[in-house]
Amino acid sequence: MAKVSGATYAPDPVPAPVVAPGEFVFAAVGLNHGHIYGMSSGLLGAGATLKWVYDPDPVKVDAYRQRFPQARVARDEAEILDDDAVHLVAGAAVTSQRCALGLRVIAAGKDYFTDKAPLTTLEQLAEAREATARTGRKYAVYYSERIHVEAAVLAGQLVQRGAIGRVVQVMGLGPHRLSAAGRPDWFFVKEKYGGILCDIGSHNVEQMLYFTGSTDAEISHSTVGNFNHPQYPELDDFGELSLVLNSTATGYCRVDWFTPDGLRTWGDGRTFILGTDGYIELRKYINVATDAGPGHVFLVDGTGEHHLVAAGQVGYPYFGQLILDCLHRTENAMTQAHAFKAAELSIRAQQQARVLRHAVDR
């Protein structure tokens, strides 16, 4: 790692588990998206204890227990919600059903950790905000493309140290591979998945808020379209949005389902962070046409060009911070306001997006 002007660009130490076995117990409920595996792994790596799993589909439960055999199979959701030993319920339900699950978890006196998008409508958002404000319980969100990507974690550390000065723009590119044959039917129903900006766009909105230190934004532009999948008329296979953030920075993202089969991973996700004194580029999952693996951070500042490799060097502090937040009722992992604001902006961008359909109709 490079040292510049006495300041190190090395990452903070990889976080260690924050609790001993049995001190923080969680359960998995709702296995409709594969992100539940990353959510569970992150919590376990931070020292949490997995006690239960439940989903009405026994095939999903069996697959989950192949990865996490320590999880006991609950008879139903109520068996988990009635268990006083459970601190937190992690879930990756159908997107439109995530809020309802969260409200049941909160009503049972537990904290909730959901896959993104955390909800799909502004009405659900109002219910979630009311429940968390009334009870003090958490409605945490797995914005994995920042909190579970080492390059993004390192970028956050660099920005906080002032490595590129004040951030003035964040651009995010979020291509994904569709793999339509392996997707469930609900994935193609807009009422259930929320639309591309509500769904995968929420990753990028969250990063714009985080890297710029913003708490709100104005949506200046949003567009969605179905360019090449007429067999799925409710699918957005392309989306983009632009924000003017209340920090005076700006943000732009493009998300799509056009990753070609020749790429060795599911998507060439990138983030560009422009500051007053330099810039950062993240090549999160692959450095194309090389065998260099994931986790690349390119930093350019007044002293030179720096290539930092975050993979295996940074870890994922969010999960330990979330556990401690649940135990101590603090907000160090992510504030509730931030998690909800990213969701709100994503939903609003989806709702007001210009829809491009002519490309499919031709």
Side-chain angles (χ1 to χ4, degrees):
M1 298 294 177
K3 286 189 176 182
V4 181
S5 302
T8 180
Y9 287 154
D12 293 343
V14 174
V18 298
V19 287
E23 290 183 352
F24 185 85
V25 177
F26 77 99
V29 176
L31 311 178
N32 293 90
H33 196 291
H35 281 165
I36 191 64
Y37 292 91
M39 298 162 70
S40 300
S41 294
L43 290 167
L44 289 167
T49 298
L50 173 59
K51 183 175 182 180
W52 295 106
V53 61
Y54 174 72
D55 189 279
D57 183 350
V59 175
K60 292 185 177 67
V61 172
D62 288 345
Y64 184 86
R65 293 193 70 250
Q66 287 180 23
R67 178 82 172 269
F68 305 110
Q70 69 270 43
R72 295 165 55 187
V73 180
R75 292 187 299 270
D76 51 28
E77 181 184 297
E79 186 171 13
I80 293 172
L81 297 185
D82 291 341
D83 185 350
D84 292 337
V86 175
H87 295 87
L88 175 142
V89 173
V94 173
T95 316
S96 61
Q97 299 172 10
R98 289 171 186 170
C99 183
L101 172 58
L103 296 177
R104 295 194 298 272
V105 170
I106 289 171
K110 305 181 189 307
D111 293 312
Y112 180 49
F113 182 32
T114 180
D115 189 15
K116 66 78 223 156
L119 31 75
T120 56
T121 70
L122 294 176
E123 292 75 17
Q124 290 176 353
L125 177 61
E127 290 183 285
R129 279 177 163 152
E130 188 281 329
T132 55
R134 173 171 43 83
T135 65
R137 289 293 163 186
K138 297 187 182 298
Y139 194 118
V141 184
Y142 183 61
Y143 291 116
S144 60
E145 291 185 22
R146 181 179 66 81
I147 66 172
H148 217 169
V149 171
E150 287 183 290
V153 175
L154 178 55
Q157 295 172 3
L158 294 171
V159 167
Q160 290 167 10
R161 295 174 198 167
I164 58 171
R166 179 171 55 86
V167 174
V168 298
Q169 189 196 44
V170 176
M171 291 199 307
L173 304 179
H176 288 61
R177 178 171 287 127
L178 183 59
S179 301
R183 300 284 181 179
D185 291 343
W186 66 264
F187 179 85
F188 301 100
V189 179
K190 188 161 289 188
E191 182 183 3
K192 293 185 177 181
Y193 80 92
I196 195 169
L197 296 179
C198 173
D199 181 23
I200 57 179
S202 64
H203 282 301
N204 293 276
V205 172
E206 191 277 332
Q207 289 172 83
M208 293 176 199
L209 292 168
Y210 174 78
F211 288 125
T212 63
S214 301
T215 58
D216 205 350
E218 175 186 343
I219 301 161
S220 55
H221 163 80
S222 60
T223 299
V224 298
N226 185 327
F227 284 89
N228 200 42
H229 297 89
Q231 69 274 41
Y232 305 115
E234 295 191 40
L235 176 71
D236 301 326
D237 59 21
F238 173 89
E240 64 179 0
L241 65 84
S242 298
L243 300 180
V244 178
L245 297 128
N246 66 352
S247 62
T248 72
T250 65
Y252 170 83
C253 79
R254 186 206 78 212
V255 288
D256 65 76
W257 293 103
F258 289 122
T259 294
D261 290 342
L263 192 73
R264 287 170 288 170
T265 188
W266 55 266
D268 184 11
R270 302 199 188 191
T271 303
F272 302 82
I273 308 170
L274 176 65
T276 53
D277 300 325
Y279 65 89
I280 294 170
E281 177 189 348
L282 309 183
R283 301 180 189 175
K284 295 180 177 180
Y285 313 115
I286 191 170
N287 196 7
V288 174
T290 75
D291 293 322
H296 298 272
V297 178
F298 296 90
L299 167 67
V300 181
D301 62 9
T303 67
E305 306 163 6
H306 315 279
H307 178 191
L308 314 177
V309 180
Q313 304 296 316
V314 178
Y316 311 107
Y318 171 88
F319 297 95
Q321 291 169 350
L322 176 61
I323 289 170
L324 295 178
D325 283 345
C326 292
L327 292 174
H328 304 311
R329 314 319 298 171
T330 51
E331 284 195 312
N332 295 314
M334 182 185 297
T335 68
Q336 191 63 73
H338 177 91
F340 282 155
K341 181 56 66 173
E344 176 191 342
L345 291 168
S346 304
I347 293 169
R348 292 190 186 280
Q350 182 75 44
Q351 289 181 342
Q352 69 186 56
R354 179 182 179 185
V355 180
L356 303 177
R357 296 195 184 280
H358 65 279
V360 173
D361 296 336
R362 284 204 296 264

